[in-house]
Amino acid sequence: MQTFLSDEFRNSGTGSEAASILSKCVHCGFCNATCPTYLLLGDEMDGPRGRIYLMKQMFEGESRSLDQIRLHLDRCLTCRNCETTCPSGVEYSKLLELGRATIGRKARRGAFDALVRSALAAMLRNPGLFRLLARSAAWVRPLVPRKLQSKIPSARRPVLAWPEQTLQRRMIALSGCVQGTLAPDTNRAAARVLSRYGISLSEIPSAGCCGAVDLHTTAEEKGLAVARSLIDTWAPHLDEVEAFVMTASGCGVTVRDYPHLFRHDPKYREAARKIAEKTFDLCEVIERELDGTPEPVRRGKRVAFHAPCTLQHGQKLSGRVERILEQVGYDVVSVKDGHLCCGSAGTYSLLHPRISDRLRRDKLAVLHEQVPDIVCTANIGCQLHLSDPGKPVRHWIELLL
């Protein structure tokens, strides 16, 4: 796609990066066939091809309301399904990042919208504050409308204990923003499973958010500052550990993107690269340790696995968890349209509840279509979004205990 940058962008890094990505797009529209918002809303501007055109027009200086462009870019789930589908290799998510950041610099959000986004990010990125709010949820829930009650999470107490950290091989897990409060047994389960393979898995208490929350709410500079803090925490341990293990695929895709995020930062660029190179999703670690050897036991349970977009489209790890579950004796049922997003998408479910709820209903229908005994996933956001009272969604690592 030919792009004629306006004077504002012609000699800028942002403009050259945007033009390079845009040049690969051939306007074929294959991406729309797998875009959740396009399939749901039927609006060309709410599909990847339409959003690409909106950004192209913005970088070319064509007159169009920035607020209108922002509306359609905000509605994008950033699921990256379109990248998996695209035959031309268009890096849509990177173009979207440039487009959102450019609009953020050129036009301010409304005061209320900005306040909601900054408050959400502040609450979620601070594990201590979030833990306090989650523990207060039982008092708050009866006071809000019934429709909102399911959106208010409660803190959970861990059931599992950490295994002793005495094994020679060492790995570090990220507790994350909300997982340590709402699903504290996930990393403990991972530590217990990895201990069977001679690996000590631990957390660094001072390691907080990976930056994804602020990046989701289009606060780019704050997101980078939060990511720098995690790099500062982990960098001293680079030579001591075998890997940084991600039990939440949403965090994993963000940390693995650090080399791109810090491409213009000479101070953090090298540390970002080294940390990203040592970052692995939990399924990659377990798959390597299993080494293709099936376990002799049949567990007699039917499992439906929801593959998070950050795992299958962001990190390109489709089918890994399903193969692991089959190796250890589970009957993994097929899930129709498994490539489509569940609607969680970080803070998306809170900022765009109408679209998110429709995607959630569709996803739950296909997950339960074959009446599985267990539904599991690989990301805390999807896990919370898809769970219902009496029908919890588990992290897949718990099934290996």
Side-chain angles (χ1 to χ4, degrees):
M1 185 186 294
Q2 245 185 335
T3 305
F4 301 96
L5 296 173
S6 67
D7 291 342
E8 179 184 359
F9 295 105
R10 187 167 296 126
N11 296 312
S12 71
T14 294
S16 61
E17 286 184 42
S20 175
I21 298 170
L22 286 165
S23 68
K24 295 181 180 179
C25 180
V26 297
H27 199 59
C28 65
F30 286 2
C31 53
N32 281 348
T34 57
C35 173
T37 51
Y38 178 78
L39 294 175
L40 212 58
L41 304 175
D43 186 335
E44 177 75 12
M45 296 302 104
D46 284 315
R49 182 171 62 180
R51 293 183 180 115
I52 285 171
Y53 256 84
L54 289 175
M55 289 183 278
K56 177 180 184 290
Q57 290 173 342
M58 179 178 67
F59 289 121
E60 290 182 333
E62 293 189 27
S63 58
R64 185 186 280 265
S65 165
L66 288 176
D67 287 336
Q68 195 64 24
I69 297 175
R70 184 179 355 232
L71 171 67
H72 294 294
L73 298 193
D74 279 352
R75 282 182 184 160
C76 177
L77 293 140
T78 324
C79 68
R80 296 169 71 167
N81 202 339
C82 55
E83 293 185 6
T84 299
T85 308
C86 180
S88 303
V90 176
E91 295 178 294
Y92 169 82
S93 59
K94 289 181 171 57
L95 181 64
L96 182 68
E97 172 195 314
L98 293 170
R100 285 173 167 173
T102 298
I103 293 176
R105 288 191 292 269
K106 291 168 70 70
R108 291 192 176 190
R109 290 184 179 274
F112 180 73
D113 188 17
L115 177 63
V116 168
R117 287 168 176 270
S118 60
L120 265 177
M123 176 184 71
L124 294 174
R125 89 168 78 89
N126 186 325
L129 174 61
F130 184 81
R131 191 176 302 111
L132 176 64
L133 293 172
R135 286 174 178 169
S136 306
W139 301 93
V140 175
R141 190 176 288 104
L143 305 177
V144 302
R146 183 171 295 179
K147 189 175 181 180
L148 295 178
Q149 289 181 7
S150 63
K151 300 285 186 185
I152 302 176
S154 298
R156 298 181 186 175
R157 293 184 179 276
V159 174
L160 302 174
W162 281 91
E164 289 187 24
Q165 305 294 307
T166 56
L167 301 169
Q168 187 173 1
R169 297 172 64 190
R170 289 188 56 211
M171 297 183 182
I172 288 176
L174 182 66
S175 176
C177 302
V178 303
Q179 183 170 280
T181 297
L182 302 181
D185 280 329
T186 297
N187 279 1
R188 288 172 168 79
R192 291 166 78 93
V193 172
L194 289 177
S195 68
R196 298 176 195 161
Y197 305 111
I199 299 169
S200 286
L201 184 70
S202 61
E203 297 174 348
I204 299 178
S206 58
C209 181
C210 64
V213 168
D214 287 283
L215 295 172
H216 286 162
T217 53
T218 63
E220 183 185 23
E221 289 307 315
K222 182 61 181 177
L224 292 175
V226 172
R228 287 187 187 99
S229 179
L230 181 59
I231 291 173
D232 288 338
T233 302
W234 274 359
H237 302 275
L238 270 166
D239 295 330
E240 304 168 7
V241 298
E242 190 175 322
F244 299 104
V245 180
M246 294 295 172
T247 56
S249 60
C251 299
V253 76
T254 301
V255 175
R256 283 182 140 166
D257 204 33
Y258 277 4
H260 171 72
L261 292 174
F262 291 100
R263 65 196 182 281
H264 301 310
D265 188 332
K267 182 178 178 182
Y268 279 86
R269 187 164 48 216
E270 185 62 13
R273 180 189 64 79
K274 288 180 178 179
I275 284 174
E277 287 178 352
K278 273 199 169 182
T279 295
F280 296 91
D281 188 84
L282 179 60
C283 71
E284 294 177 280
V285 179
I286 298 293
E287 185 179 54
R288 185 180 63 200
E289 298 303 323
L290 284 173
D291 194 27
T293 306
E295 294 189 5
V297 64
R298 297 301 303 172
R299 297 178 186 251
K301 296 282 187 181
R302 289 164 54 82
V303 176
F305 176 70
H306 164 61
C309 299
T310 46
L311 187 72
Q312 60 174 325
H313 304 307
Q315 299 186 69
K316 309 299 183 189
L317 296 174
S318 293
R320 301 288 189 95
V321 173
E322 294 94 318
R323 287 196 293 272
I324 290 170
L325 293 174
E326 287 173 345
Q327 271 187 258
V328 301
Y330 286 101
D331 177 13
V332 179
V333 302
S334 63
V335 177
K336 186 172 65 178
D337 294 332
H339 60 284
L340 291 178
C341 182
C342 71
S344 172
T347 56
Y348 193 96
S349 61
L350 300 172
L351 295 170
H352 303 276
R354 183 176 65 87
I355 297 173
S356 177
D357 286 347
R358 288 175 65 183
L359 292 171
R360 177 182 183 272
R361 289 196 301 269
D362 291 346
K363 182 60 67 174
L364 284 172
V366 295
L367 282 170
H368 290 283
E369 190 173 42
Q370 297 196 41
V371 197
D373 300 301
I374 303 167
V375 175
C376 62
T377 188
N379 188 52
I380 181 65
C382 304
Q383 186 179 352
L384 298 174
H385 185 59
L386 294 171
S387 288
D388 271 330
K391 288 186 176 180
V393 174
R394 300 169 65 182
H395 192 289
W396 67 270
I397 192 61
E398 296 178 56
L399 278 61
L400 270 62
L401 288 172

